[in-house]
Structures are given as structure tokens and as C-alpha cells.
Amino acid sequence: MIRPIARWLPALALTLAAGAVAAQNLTIGLSTPVTTLDPHFHNLSPNNAMARHVFETLVRTDEAQRKLPGLAESWKALSDTEWEVKLRKGVKWHDGAEFTADDVIATFKRVPGVPNSPASFAVFVRPITGITAPDKHTLRLKTATAHPLLPSDLGSVLILPKTVAETAKTEDFNSGKAMIGTGPFRFAEYVAGDRVVFTRNDGYWGTKPHWARVQFRMITSAPARVAALLAGDVQMIENVPTADIPKLKSDARVGLSSAVSNRLIYLHIDSGRETNTPFVTTTDGKPMEANPLRDPRVRRAISKMIDRDAISSRIMEGQAVPAGQLLPEQFFGTSQKLKAEKYDPAGAKKLLAEAGYPNGFGITLHAPNNRYINDAAVAQAVAQFLTRNGIATKLETMPSNVFFSRGTKLEFSFLLAGWGAESGDTSSPLRALLGTFDSSAGMGAANRGRFSDAGLDALITTALTTIDDTKRGLMLAAASEKAIDLMGLVPVHYEVSTWGTRKGLSYRARADQYTLAYDVAPSK
Amino acid sequence: MSVFVLRRLAQTLLVLFITSVLVFGGLFLVGDPVEILVNPTADQIEKDRARVALGLDKPVLEQYLIFLQGTFSGDLGNSFVYARPALEVIFERMPATLELAVLAMLIAIVLGIPLGLYAGLRPHGWGARTIMAGSILGFSLPTFWVGLMLILVFAVTLGWLPSTGRGPTQEFLGLQLSILSWDGLKYALLPATNLALLKLSLITRLTRAQVREQSLLDYIKFARAKGLSRSRVIGVHLLKNILIPLVTVIGLELGSVIAYAIVTETIFAWPGMGKLVIDSIFQLDRPVVVAYLMVVVFMFIVINLIVDILYSVLDPRVRLSEVKG
């Protein structure tokens, strides 16, 4: 009788051990392909998120984009143009060497000069004009002018060891040779367009991740990603399609984690051209010489015609929050006074009549159809609301690779787009979307409506050179209020990002839409 | 024969040249790669830097000439996104696509020819009717829908096969292949079946039509009259004669499975060339798209050449030197 049991014991032990190992393995389905592992080659969210498993920044941001000490223990402004950064002691690179100030200096030197980079990180180190290291764990940074965004810039540059920063080429990262970081995971495998595999760094200085081995699989087709989650082939997926959310909510096998993101979906309106904006016509479809969009009352009327609650709840299935300003209230530099505009057809009619267009006019809305969550459907809803309320609106959607080129060439009069404030504060959308277009000053880089207001420009410029956080926050709030008062853009909603996990797991959902394996944990 | 091959090669060069002009010009019209590649928050200085780094600051004609110059030394340019030679990026993904395509065609041929033979020989039986009705379904159901249904049934509901992705690979003749082990093969079964359905229907119908036509010809009647066994009549005389049109179709279909498995590769997250080219088109990674289409055109030309040569092997009456065009 004893014998058969004894024969089974080893097998049983093996099964149990395999169970324990499997419990420490995690497979995640990504929606967008990672194009490289070089942390300074292509500034693209999926790449940035992936690199953050192996490499770290001086300043970290938490799930709500608040700044936390990373490889830097502390940072402070010594004067308007000089900063001191204290580095963390006792941090080891994956090859065992010690992390010091020299590594940071070498990294900052590499960043602006990565060959053939299609989207570099140069913008984050450009303000730094001088960098010295008084000792192994202290850095002094100089800037040409007061630059309060320095800590947030430091949050965007991943630090490499000196030897890697000085010699490694982009292909060395993709092959894994240069993948030496300080982060919670070590590099294991990368198959372009297919998967990335990491293993836990047991020597990590911070909280060690729960997972011994993490595999990211690129599953770009949304229904296939959901199927992979349901089949249990992956334990977590990002970008759950909105159409599947009600079904997944009632499925006992999976759980959902979501957070309001830093991405605003907005309408840009051509207020730059004084006459003959390309897509505005009279009510009977004839070309129109005057540009009605220059009148803030017309822009306000457009805003009042949109039922944001309906768009968020119906088209977005609750995966959006109606927006009244540039970022959700909990972010830095927002105003507590600005609320999402209420649907008010009567008020809109009144404003249009006051502006001299009681019978409305005709317009075409342009929008991308593969860039934001349900972008084409949202644009269609906006066009229908406008048409119903007196502005006959046609809709034209196109793939984003066509849309952005044409938008930047100012070929549109009225467009729907999105803005993710990666810095986590309103200075980014204020400067890029609402500042008067001026390429040398770096203002209005994405101002495709060519909105311009001297008073607002002055507010933004002062805020961007005010080191004191409290003062700057108030200035940015005031600038947001002014921009919305003049309707420099019409906010529609903030996207909510949703991750799906197998039951028993949960994800600390992030505003920056990054998918990070160390933030996945068994739910308690 | 060598004159024939040489003439074909000259034509190939001309076709490749025209393709490169069309694709290069077409992508130039679609949009500005810099707008897609730079981070949306980038300022003008960064946009200008990227434009210079990618060589997009030059006039388009000059960009094309630089490309042509590189082409003659076998360099089709560097991918904007991957910072590696475009051909290298494509060839790295090729084994995944090839194994999927070959597996799909094998399924289609191994099932299609017998099914077609059966349906052709007993055209009025219920078996033949079922096969023909099934082949209509195979033709008309959209690939993406069938793919999702396969995932839903075999991966989500039954849990027999993995839903997406490619299994572990092993090296074979210098290629990384996954279908040589069961662990890898089970990942390939669903996508290969999905790819094979359409081809299976096509081959079944074509075989049936050929059988119906050839069965009435004199040489079959004569063979029967001579008292040859039924299996010899079908297996040797009939089969050999229906193979000629089948080889043409199978050759071309193999090409199209390799080149245009895009939908299946996307649904099943299969890391092949089709998925690569779709991603590259969205990112306006022009070198990869141009190189991909040049590779595809070249492949079709080679397959055509092989098909023509096979003709002469299968049918001694065909002389290659007579084939013009």
C-alpha cells in the first residue's frame, strides 16, 4: 500500500514546486509594439515604460505623476539657475559596479547625440548648461535661465552606467549587451515585434518586485488581447477595448483596474486666419470670407453644444471623464474653479446670435481614426451635436499618419486631437497648445488652431521661469482659467486607461498610461 | 533556357525599379514621418533635429537618388524606427512568416486535392455536395472573423491551444523555426488553419473542376478501355494532367500567403513580416515599407519563374524558349 504513494510523491512535489514557480511568473499583453530597448533612442510611451523596468531616473513619478526620489535622494534649487542633486548611496548596477555621479554626467552627454534617433530626449537635457560633481554622490546643475521644470525633466531621462553611456550603440541595447541598469528587473530576452522578457533583480535597492520572471507579449489586435486574457495565456493586458468592458466586468475570471490619464481630448479651432479659413462655409455651402471662429463667443457656443456626459457614458462606456480644463483637477497647475461645461443648447444659440450668426454656418471637423480611444466615434458625436444645434458639421476622419502631417500644415479649420501631459502639470499643454506659435521660443509647437493671446503668453512665460512651486502652481492655474475663458481650445474629456487582470491580481493604474510589471501584485 | 532566365531577370529589374518609384512617391504623399515619429510634445528644434537625422531634410528627389545609390550596393536604407538596415529587419521576421505560410499551404494541399478529387469523381453524391458547400463558406467568411472564432472556440472555451503568439523556436538550417516541436507547433495550428481555409477552398474547387473536365477526355476513356486499374487511371493519368493548372495556382497562392498574411498575423500576434509592414505603414517607416514591397515583388517574380520551369517538367510539350512575356 505504501509503495504506490511513494511512487507518486516525487511527482507531487514537482507539481507543487511548478505551481510555486508559475505563481512568480507573469505574462502581460501589450497593445503597442516596443520598437527598441535603447532608453534614449525613441521617445515613445511603450518604449519608455519598457525601459523603466531595467533603468531608473533620478526623479521618479508615482501613479498620479507626483515626484518621488529615485536615484536622487533629494534635489533643491540653490538659486534661480543652479540646482543641487544628492544621489542615492549604495546603489549597484546589474554588473555589480557602484552607481555614482560620473554615470549621470556620462548619460546626460549621450542623450542629445544618439545617432539616427527619430524622437530624442534632447529636450530634457537642453536647459542644462553645466554639470559638475563636487563628490561621488552630489551633482551641481546650471541652467541658462530659471528653469523650474528641471526636476520633471530629470524624471524623463533614464540613467546608464558610464561605460555603457560612452560606448553603447542602439543595437547593443536590443541585443541585451548594454542592458545594464539599476532597476528592479534584469534583461533576459528581446524578440523584436514579439516579446520582451525580464527576470527579477534580487540586488535591487528598493522594494523588490513580486515576480521572478516577467514576459511582455505584443498583441496589437484588441479582441485577440482580450481573448488571450480570457484564455489565461496572459495574466494582464493594457488598453482594454471599451466595447468589452461591460462583458469583462461581469466575468468572474478577470478584474479591471483603471485611472484617469493625463491625456486630454480637445478640439482645436482655427482662430488664427482672419479670413478664408479652409473648411468654413455659409449655411448653403458657399465659401465664406469672414472667419467666425475668431470670435470667442462662437467658440464658447461650440463648447456649449457638446453633451460631454453623453459622450463619456455612451461612446466611451465610462472610460472618460468630462473635461473643463487642460488636466484633471488633481494635477499640478490646474484650477479648482474650472468645471466641465454643461450641455446648454439655448445658451449656445444665444451666443451664436450675439456673434452675428443666428443661422449658424457650415464647417468640417477633422479627426484621426486610429490614435485615441474611439477617436472617430467621439468626433462623429461632436459633429452630430453641432449639426443638431445649428452649425452644420461634416466629418472627415483619417489615419493618424496623414492627420498630423496635414494638421501641422494648418490644412484644417476645426480638428479633434489629444494631448498627454507627460510632465504631469499644465505647463506642457499651455505652452504647446495655447502659446502663440513661435518655433524659436519653443511655444505653440502643437498649436494647430493658431490661437494667440498676448496676456496668456505673458502668464505662461512668467510661470515657466518661477522656481517657487506654490507660486508657479497658482500662475499656471490662472493661465488655465484665461485660456479656457477665451476658449483657446475646447476640452472634451480626459481618457481613462484600463488594465485587465486575471482574478487574484491587481494593477496600480497609472495616469501616464505606462504598464509596469512591478506595479502588478496579487490582490490582498 | 538560359536566354529565358536572363530575359526574366532583366524584366525583374525593370519591375523592381517601377515599384520603388511608386512606393517611394506614394509614401511621400501620405504624410511626414517626422510628425508621427517625434514625441507629440516635441518642439520645433527637436523636429528639425529628427528631420536631419533621418535624412528627410533633403528634397524628395535627392532622397530617392540616395536610396537608388544604396540599392545598387544592396543597402535599402535604415529603418527610421529600428535604426537597423531595413532588409535585416525584414529578413529577421521572414522565418516566422515562411513557416506559417508553408504550414498553411500544406494543410490546403493535403486536404484540398483529395477533397477535390472525391468531389470531382462523385459529383452528385451528398459527400461532394457537402464539400462544395463547405468550400463556399471557406471562400466567403472574412479571415478576421474566422480567426477570432478559432481563438474563441479552441483557446478561450476549450483551452486546447494557445490563443496568440509564436511558440519557442529552434535553429534549423540557420533559421529560427517554431513548428519543429509540438510546443511550438501548437501555437502555429490556429493561425495556419485560418490562413489555409481560403486556399483550401480554392484548391478543392479547382481540383474538382479539373477532374470533371479531364474525366471526359479520350485518354481517360482509352486508359479505362485498356483495362487499367481505377487507382492507376486516377493516380497517374488523371492526377498528372490536372496538376499543371494546380501548380500555377498553388505557386501564386503561396506567394500571396507569404506576402499578405497581414490580417492573420495581426489577430494571432504572430511576429512575421505582415505585422511588421502594418506597424511600419502606421509609423511611416518608409525604408521598411519600400524594402518590404521590393522583397515581395522579387519573391513573386521568382515564384513565377519556378512555376514556368515546373510546367516544362510536368508537360514535355511546353518549351521554355517559346514562353514570351
Side-chain angles (χ1 to χ4, degrees):
Chain A
M1 276 309 277
I2 295 167
R3 249 201 175 161
I5 298 172
R7 212 167 47 201
W8 283 106
L9 266 179
L12 189 68
L14 261 179
T15 319
L16 287 178
V21 168
Q24 293 217 341
N25 282 353
L26 178 69
T27 308
I28 297 176
L30 298 180
S31 61
T32 323
V34 172
T35 61
T36 179
L37 292 182
D38 182 338
H40 304 143
F41 178 71
H42 193 178
N43 183 2
L44 189 76
S45 288
N47 293 357
N48 298 348
M50 195 52 63
R52 268 164 177 70
H53 291 87
V54 174
F55 303 102
E56 291 181 289
T57 48
L58 295 177
V59 178
R60 270 189 328 134
T61 52
D62 69 359
E63 65 274 16
Q65 288 194 281
R66 286 173 296 237
K67 292 177 189 66
L68 297 175
L71 287 176
E73 272 179 335
S74 67
W75 54 93
K76 64 168 186 251
L78 300 176
S79 69
D80 264 6
T81 57
E82 199 176 10
W83 292 73
E84 185 179 81
V85 179
K86 289 275 181 205
L87 300 181
R88 195 174 291 280
K89 292 183 181 120
V91 174
K92 292 268 191 292
W93 293 104
H94 292 165
D95 64 0
E98 193 197 354
F99 161 70
T100 67
D102 286 344
D103 299 320
V104 181
I105 296 176
T107 300
F108 283 14
K109 206 178 266 170
R110 175 179 196 259
V111 167
V114 181
N116 304 324
S117 158
S120 82
F121 290 73
V123 61
F124 303 113
V125 294
R126 205 188 298 139
I128 303 171
T129 51
I131 177 165
T132 52
D135 64 63
K136 261 176 32 178
H137 295 104
T138 309
L139 281 172
R140 290 269 164 79
L141 304 173
K142 276 205 175 68
T143 58
T145 52
H147 184 57
L149 295 181
L150 189 85
S152 111
D153 286 351
L154 295 181
S156 299
V157 179
L158 291 154
I159 306 297
L160 306 176
K162 184 165 184 255
T163 46
V164 170
E166 282 171 351
T167 57
K169 300 196 186 78
T170 296
E171 54 262 34
D172 296 330
F173 291 92
N174 295 336
S175 71
K177 198 178 120 198
M179 292 297 284
I180 301 164
T182 54
F185 286 99
R186 288 164 182 274
F187 170 84
E189 192 192 358
Y190 169 54
V191 183
D194 184 27
R195 75 187 92 177
V196 184
V197 184
F198 295 132
T199 55
R200 182 169 52 212
N201 170 18
D202 285 312
Y204 184 54
W205 60 268
T207 318
K208 289 181 194 59
H210 177 80
W211 311 103
R213 188 183 155 86
V214 177
Q215 186 179 151
F216 293 90
R217 296 228 337 253
M218 299 160 210
I219 310 176
T220 47
S221 152
R225 208 157 58 241
V226 173
L229 179 70
L230 289 174
D233 291 338
V234 300
Q235 282 85 53
M236 178 164 104
I237 58 170
E238 61 177 13
N239 283 338
V240 179
T242 52
D244 286 326
I245 283 182
K247 193 182 76 197
L248 291 180
K249 265 190 185 145
S250 60
D251 194 314
R253 291 170 292 180
V254 294
L256 298 173
S257 315
S258 52
V260 181
S261 74
N262 60 17
R263 178 169 287 138
L264 167 75
I265 300 298
Y266 62 88
L267 304 167
H268 248 154
I269 301 174
D270 180 9
S271 57
R273 274 177 275 239
E274 292 186 13
T275 53
N276 291 322
T277 179
F279 285 99
V280 171
T281 61
T282 57
T283 36
D284 48 3
K286 302 230 169 58
M288 187 160 163
E289 203 198 328
N291 178 3
L293 305 171
R294 283 178 68 83
D295 190 328
R297 287 172 297 188
V298 173
R299 305 199 290 267
R300 175 67 67 183
I302 290 176
S303 177
K304 283 183 186 293
M305 288 176 191
I306 301 166
D307 187 346
R308 293 172 175 76
D309 290 325
I311 292 179
S312 292
S313 63
R314 306 272 170 72
I315 292 167
M316 297 294 287
E317 301 275 359
Q319 299 305 297
V321 175
Q325 54 181 323
L326 306 171
L327 274 175
E329 266 175 31
Q330 60 270 30
F331 282 85
F332 186 80
T334 52
S335 161
Q336 302 300 313
K337 288 183 208 146
L338 294 171
K339 304 289 172 212
E341 182 114 46
K342 288 273 163 285
Y343 181 51
D344 179 12
K349 234 181 199 97
K350 219 173 118 224
L351 280 173
L352 270 189
E354 271 174 35
Y357 300 96
N359 298 319
F361 49 86
I363 199 168
T364 304
L365 172 64
H366 288 88
N369 57 18
N370 59 356
R371 179 66 188 86
Y372 311 107
I373 305 176
N374 300 343
D375 40 14
V378 172
Q380 192 173 7
V382 168
Q384 280 167 357
F385 278 125
L386 262 56
T387 304
R388 188 191 297 169
N389 292 305
I391 300 180
T393 308
K394 286 183 212 142
L395 174 68
E396 204 182 310
T397 63
M398 57 196 79
S400 55
N401 52 11
V402 180
F403 175 80
F404 287 108
S405 304
R406 291 185 62 190
T408 302
K409 282 192 235 155
L410 304 183
E411 287 184 20
F412 307 141
S413 292
F414 185 34
L415 62 94
L416 177 137
W419 188 263
E422 284 167 11
S423 61
D425 72 291
T426 52
S427 69
S428 138
L430 278 169
R431 181 159 61 165
L433 302 179
L434 292 155
T436 302
F437 178 76
D438 178 354
S439 58
S440 60
M443 291 272 271
N447 186 346
R448 298 186 178 102
R450 287 295 188 264
F451 172 79
S452 169
D453 180 76
L456 180 66
D457 288 345
L459 271 174
I460 300 172
T461 317
T462 333
L464 284 171
T465 48
T466 303
I467 299 280
D468 185 285
D469 279 350
T470 324
K471 279 192 204 153
R472 191 172 75 256
L474 291 173
M475 285 176 187
L476 290 173
S480 301
E481 283 162 21
K482 190 164 180 71
I484 297 299
D485 183 46
L486 294 171
M487 283 277 125
L489 56 76
V490 177
V492 179
H493 58 239
Y494 312 115
E495 286 185 356
V496 170
S497 349
T498 304
W499 287 263
T501 53
R502 295 291 289 185
K503 216 39 162 204
L505 295 179
S506 71
Y507 183 61
R508 196 185 297 150
R510 295 179 64 90
D512 55 17
Q513 307 188 317
Y514 286 172
T515 298
L516 301 171
Y518 46 86
D519 279 344
V520 188
S523 29
K524 292 179 183 88
Chain B
M1 169 122 178
S2 55
V3 175
F4 168 76
V5 173
L6 275 178
R7 197 196 296 142
R8 269 302 174 85
L9 280 179
Q11 284 170 358
T12 307
L13 285 180
L14 185 69
V15 172
L16 284 176
F17 174 73
I18 295 171
T19 312
S20 74
V21 173
L22 287 178
V23 181
F24 213 90
L27 284 177
F28 178 76
L29 289 178
V30 167
D32 179 2
V34 172
E35 284 296 323
I36 284 297
L37 292 167
V38 296
N39 191 283
T41 58
D43 56 12
Q44 197 60 42
I45 306 173
E46 167 62 16
K47 282 187 187 175
D48 292 343
R49 188 208 56 76
R51 203 175 294 283
V52 174
L54 302 176
L56 294 167
D57 52 329
K58 303 186 179 73
V60 66
L61 196 66
E62 195 183 334
Q63 292 178 38
Y64 182 71
L65 288 178
I66 293 173
F67 164 80
L68 263 194
Q69 210 174 9
T71 309
F72 282 113
S73 50
D75 171 15
L76 293 187
N78 268 11
S79 157
F80 295 157
V81 174
Y82 301 99
R84 288 163 54 208
L87 273 183
E88 196 182 304
V89 175
I90 292 167
F91 286 139
E92 186 182 79
R93 307 284 188 94
M94 206 176 224
T97 297
L98 284 181
E99 66 178 10
L100 197 62
V102 169
L103 191 61
M105 283 317 278
L106 274 181
I107 296 177
I109 294 168
V110 168
L111 292 177
I113 293 180
L115 285 177
L117 272 177
Y118 178 84
L121 292 171
R122 292 176 205 275
H124 303 297
W126 63 267
R129 286 173 199 277
T130 315
I131 291 169
M132 295 325 285
S135 76
I136 290 173
L137 279 184
F139 256 121
S140 43
L141 293 177
T143 317
F144 71 90
W145 184 82
V146 176
L148 287 174
M149 286 304 118
L150 287 174
I151 294 180
L152 209 63
V153 172
F154 292 101
V156 178
T157 310
L158 298 172
W160 291 350
L161 294 165
S163 59
T164 50
R166 189 178 182 216
T169 57
Q170 55 198 125
E171 192 160 316
F172 179 73
L173 298 176
L175 296 175
Q176 288 292 330
L177 295 183
S178 75
I179 55 171
L180 300 175
S181 67
W182 170 241
D183 270 349
L185 185 64
K186 67 183 181 192
Y187 282 86
L189 282 179
L190 289 184
T193 308
N194 194 36
L195 262 185
L197 273 185
L198 186 78
K199 312 300 167 198
L200 172 61
S201 315
L202 187 69
I203 291 177
T204 307
R205 294 188 80 89
L206 191 69
T207 311
R208 173 182 175 272
Q210 283 296 316
V211 171
R212 298 268 285 149
E213 192 186 312
Q214 301 272 340
S215 304
L216 304 174
L217 295 185
D218 289 346
Y219 74 92
I220 296 288
K221 285 184 190 152
F222 182 70
R224 285 228 183 102
K226 235 169 53 171
L228 292 180
S229 73
R230 186 176 163 79
S231 59
R232 190 167 166 82
V233 173
I234 296 169
V236 178
H237 296 263
L238 181 63
L239 201 59
K240 199 170 172 187
N241 280 290
I242 64 169
L243 269 184
I244 296 169
L246 271 178
V247 165
T248 320
V249 170
I250 289 173
L252 288 178
E253 291 301 319
L254 178 68
S256 83
V257 163
I258 294 172
Y260 307 117
I262 294 172
V263 174
T264 298
E265 287 188 3
T266 307
I267 290 176
F268 288 91
W270 189 266
M273 300 189 298
K275 199 155 163 278
L276 172 75
V277 80
I278 275 289
D279 293 343
S280 299
I281 289 172
F282 282 135
Q283 292 165 316
L284 287 177
D285 193 348
R286 191 175 64 199
V288 174
V289 180
V290 174
Y292 176 77
L293 287 171
M294 306 262 295
V295 168
V296 165
V297 168
F298 184 72
M299 184 184 75
F300 269 104
I301 293 170
V302 170
I303 290 178
N304 263 325
L305 184 65
I306 295 175
V307 166
D308 283 346
I309 293 171
L310 273 184
Y311 270 171
S312 68
V313 176
L314 285 172
D315 186 347
R317 288 170 304 179
V318 177
R319 295 276 174 275
L320 283 178
S321 52
E322 291 164 13
V323 182
K324 295 222 170 66

